[in-house]
Amino acid sequence: METAFTPLQSLGGGVVIGLAAVLLMGLHGRIFGATGILTGIVAPASRPDFTWRAVLLAGMVSGPLLVLALTGAMPAVDVPVSTAMLIVGGLLVGVGVTFSSGCTSGHGVCGLARLSPRSAASVATFMLATAATVYVIRHVIGA
Amino acid sequence: MKYLSLYLIGLIFGTGISVSGMANPAKVLNFFDVAGTWDPSLAFVMGGAVIVTFIGYRFVLRRPMPAMADAFHLPTSRAIDARLLGGSAVFGIGWGIAGFCPGGALPALGTLDAPVFIFVGASIAGILLARGITAARSPRTATA
């Protein structure tokens, strides 16, 4: 399925994501990592640990609703894969990010911005693995 | 004030993700499909986010402490080991199969689209499974 190239909109979205990461560090001293937020909610180490992440998640989930209010349309969520692939992919993502301690937001945005070699190694590895997986699924298996 | 600001920061992040296309698996998978229906948009998301964070962190991390908390909580691990690289590779394979990553999927829950809930549910199962494996192998292992 083709999607339109949206450089300005995507750059603008990226700038806003970066703004949120800077605010979370400047005000609350925390890395903006979706893996850490989700893990801290489903397996919290302590009550205060859980609460700040749950409030942050409530805000994140409200994002599409703000877009709906401003533009009159929900952001598109087009899923070109089967339910089985969502489940298998989701399981692998959950296992993988637990061992890597981060994903696109924690390692990808915050880690690269801190010039962390550990995050750079993680990002290079997952980007290559993702590209190889998409290539195999679409062009070797032909799904 | 603390919780209001956390909510608003989450809202800013969720809005950025929604506008950028990161919450849209069709767009994410096309970014990686250079040999097929390539859509390079996501490079602009990553570029914009990293540049703004890089500049912003220079300013905020120079201060003695955050405005609403006692200390900066920065990752201390510097190890580039099998755990990091293996986990990253498994994450990448899952991302390539499903098209969602956690940062894109969590805000997308707000659309109430069923596939997002299926993916996030499976991710939670994966997180708990991996923590169970880690705990069974080493009872004193803490999470990062």
Side-chain angles (χ1 to χ4, degrees):
Chain A
M1 143 178 212
E2 301 251 1
T3 52
F5 177 46
T6 55
L8 283 180
Q9 203 179 325
S10 289
L11 182 67
V15 166
V16 172
I17 293 166
L19 179 67
V22 173
L23 286 172
L24 189 62
M25 185 60 75
L27 297 178
H28 302 283
R30 295 285 180 172
I31 292 278
F32 208 128
T35 294
I37 292 162
L38 187 57
T39 303
I41 290 171
V42 298
S46 68
R47 180 134 194 161
D49 238 36
F50 168 85
T51 311
W52 75 265
R53 291 188 174 93
V55 174
L56 196 65
L57 177 64
M60 290 162 74
V61 170
S62 308
L65 304 172
L66 181 62
V67 171
L68 173 66
L70 294 176
T71 68
M74 270 291 187
V77 181
D78 306 310
V79 181
V81 306
S82 66
T83 300
M85 288 167 79
L86 284 175
I87 294 171
V88 172
L91 276 170
L92 291 174
V93 166
V95 170
V97 298
T98 301
F99 286 109
S100 65
S101 307
C103 53
T104 38
S105 46
H107 281 310
V109 175
C110 301
L112 291 185
R114 291 175 62 229
L115 306 179
S116 155
R118 179 173 149 86
S119 290
S122 172
V123 173
T125 305
F126 70 64
M127 294 299 273
L128 276 172
T130 310
T133 304
V134 171
Y135 184 83
V136 168
I137 289 173
R138 292 197 171 178
H139 301 287
V140 178
I141 304 172
Chain B
M1 266 313 284
K2 181 186 166 191
Y3 290 118
L4 177 64
S5 91
L6 281 165
Y7 177 82
L8 292 176
I9 292 167
L11 178 64
I12 293 169
F13 182 90
T15 304
I17 289 285
S18 301
V19 171
S20 71
M22 280 299 287
N24 190 350
K27 213 164 167 58
V28 171
L29 292 173
N30 279 348
F31 173 71
F32 290 100
D33 193 8
V34 180
T37 51
W38 192 41
D39 174 359
S41 304
L42 293 200
F44 291 78
V45 183
M46 212 63 184
V50 171
I51 290 167
V52 168
T53 308
F54 175 80
I55 297 169
Y57 272 13
R58 299 303 106 176
F59 289 97
V60 302
L61 290 175
R62 208 181 287 152
R63 302 168 65 92
M65 62 167 77
M68 295 184 172
D70 298 332
F72 292 110
H73 298 265
L74 296 172
T76 50
S77 173
R78 303 189 63 78
I80 298 176
D81 52 13
R83 184 185 169 91
L84 175 79
L85 300 179
S88 301
V90 171
F91 161 52
I93 293 168
W95 193 19
I97 292 173
F100 280 115
C101 63
L106 292 182
L109 288 170
T111 64
L112 300 180
D113 287 359
V116 190
F117 286 83
I118 294 170
F119 172 83
V120 172
S123 297
I124 292 171
I127 289 171
L128 297 177
L129 180 70
R131 289 172 62 88
I133 294 169
T134 309
R137 287 175 56 187
S138 160
R140 58 188 177 78
T141 301
T143 44

